[in-house]
Amino acid sequence: MASNKKIDRALNGPGLFEITLGVVLSVALGVLLAAVHLIFKPVEVVAKPADAIEPGRVYVVDGAVNSSKARQWTRKRQILAEGNTAEVTFTEEELNAWVASAAPTNPKGAPAAAAGPEPLFAPDRVNFRIADGVLQVALLGKFSLFGITQDMVFHTRGKFVEGAAGFEFTADELYLGSLPTHIVPNLKPFLVKRIMAAQALPEDLKATWAKLKLVAVENNTLRLVLP
């Protein structure tokens, strides 16, 4: 019987199932290779939006960093931490000053951190930009896989919506490198959830965030309202 099957295969070629499986595997491999190519394709970080976007080009406009326009962020954070009735607005300069102050430092001569598994993505800088009622969050850092390390830009654009546990960021666009994950079913919410879990709020603001009556991106500011 086995001999007859081998003869039939030699005479008639592969069956319909084998052909279908081969096509499916070829398509899946092609999609995977295309995704890997886009992940590692460089993203341009620019100072202002381009007049015209070239096909296939992915770029991120850097949010402003200006210390003279960010002097009030510490006072605004204190107002939020107090938890009293208040309305506070943050500019992108203030958000960038805040996140820069929270970045871990390693003073010269300080002991090295304990060795551990290398993270898949290690952000060196977090940058906020607010424009036309949309918040952009960009993480610029190093992506490491199989001993290969490369510069990577991970960025998302969206707004805040009220959820069961308070206001949550919802992404309209989310790019891993140059890969638009928002066009892949179920991938965007999975990544957003992982990112938000890794970027926990400071302890003095966790309780305050749950009390917020409104979190809204309006024009070029982030507006927070406490009841």
Side-chain angles (χ1 to χ4, degrees), residues 33-115:
L33 292 175
V36 171
H37 168 72
L38 288 174
I39 289 172
F40 286 101
K41 182 180 178 181
V43 174
E44 297 180 58
V45 181
V46 298
K48 61 180 182 179
D51 294 331
I53 301 176
E54 300 174 10
R57 177 190 179 195
V58 176
Y59 72 93
V60 175
V61 180
D62 222 11
V65 178
N66 188 327
S67 58
S68 65
K69 294 183 179 181
R71 295 173 180 171
Q72 297 298 317
W73 78 265
T74 52
R75 175 55 185 154
K76 292 178 179 180
R77 171 176 172 167
Q78 182 181 352
I79 292 172
L80 289 176
E82 290 170 354
N84 301 320
T85 300
E87 179 175 327
V88 181
T89 58
F90 287 92
T91 64
E92 63 185 49
E93 290 91 347
E94 290 169 335
L95 292 176
N96 285 325
W98 185 344
V99 74
S101 74
T105 58
N106 186 21
K108 187 175 181 180

Side-chain angles (χ1 to χ4, degrees), residues 206-221:
K206 284 183 178 180
T208 299
W209 187 266
K211 297 177 183 177
L212 287 171
K213 178 182 178 182
L214 177 69
V215 179
V217 184
E218 299 179 347
N219 297 321
N220 297 329
T221 62

